[in-house]
């Protein structure tokens, strides 16, 4: 990874990380809110099943997610063409360099949550096969 890249680790609250346990990794460990961290970053690397990947994607950040091809892809962003999935360190480095060279953010879709004030999908589910009698 290029030397001018700053790495910040945001551990899950239930799994704290002590940076002293990893002296060879030059990274900052942060407990800031994810919304604050996303304002400061260009790229987000996530585990395979975290919902924080959605936060990063919806915030317009490039997302790289770990994925073991021998296991089910549990990422909430699976099948999304704008998200990179990597299964080893070589693929991770390649995608990091791709994002650094490209420099673009992702074009997150406002439709990710399928929000619509008229709630057509809920109406379809709730009113399916209901017969009203008076």
């Amino acid at each position: 990874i290029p030397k001018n890249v700053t790495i910040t680790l945001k551990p899950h609250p239930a799994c704290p990380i002590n940076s002293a346990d990893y002296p060879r990794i030059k990274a900052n460990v942060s407990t800031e809110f994810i919304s604050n961290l996303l304002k400061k970053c260009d790229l987000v690397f996530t585990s395979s099943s975290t919902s924080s990947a959605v936060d990063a994607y919806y915030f317009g950040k490039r997302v790289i997610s770990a994925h073991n091809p021998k296991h089910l892809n549990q990422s909430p962003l699976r099948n999304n063409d704008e998200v990179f999935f990597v299964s080893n360190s070589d693929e991770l480095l390649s995608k990091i360099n791709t994002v650094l060279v490209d420099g673009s953010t992702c074009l997150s879709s406002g439709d990710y949550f399928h929000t619509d004030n008229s709630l057509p999908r809920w109406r379809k589910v709730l009113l399916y096969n209901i017969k009203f009698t008076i």
Side-chain angles (χ1 to χ4, degrees):
I1 297 176
K3 294 182 189 267
N4 64 338
V5 172
T6 302
I7 299 173
T8 302
L9 298 175
K10 166 76 170 138
H12 189 280
C15 302
I17 294 175
N18 182 351
S19 57
D21 293 339
Y22 305 95
R24 293 178 43 199
I25 298 175
K26 295 179 181 174
N28 305 316
V29 177
S30 177
T31 57
E32 279 189 72
F33 291 117
I34 193 167
S35 57
N36 293 339
L37 291 173
L38 289 172
K39 292 175 188 174
K40 302 174 189 179
C41 74
D42 299 311
L43 170 67
V44 176
F45 176 61
T46 69
S47 65
S48 60
S49 61
T50 181
S51 62
S52 65
V54 175
D55 294 327
Y57 174 76
Y58 206 74
F59 212 85
K61 302 299 177 177
R62 295 306 306 249
V63 178
I64 301 174
S65 286
H67 172 60
N68 182 339
K70 294 181 181 179
H71 294 107
L72 178 68
N73 186 348
Q74 296 178 340
S75 171
L77 297 176
R78 66 188 170 278
N79 300 325
N80 185 315
D81 294 337
E82 292 184 311
V83 177
F84 296 119
F85 291 92
V86 298
S87 59
N88 60 51
S89 59
D90 290 333
E91 289 177 3
L92 174 60
L93 182 59
S94 172
K95 294 305 179 189
I96 288 172
N97 286 324
T98 297
V99 171
L100 291 176
V101 169
D102 180 13
S104 66
T105 58
C106 74
L107 303 171
S108 66
S109 169
D111 288 341
Y112 180 82
F113 293 105
H114 305 291
T115 54
D116 183 333
N117 289 339
S118 65
L119 304 174
R121 293 179 179 176
W122 278 110
R123 290 179 188 279
K124 184 177 179 180
V125 169
L126 295 174
L127 299 177
Y128 182 74
N129 280 335
I130 295 177
K131 297 179 182 177
F132 295 95
T133 57
I134 298 179

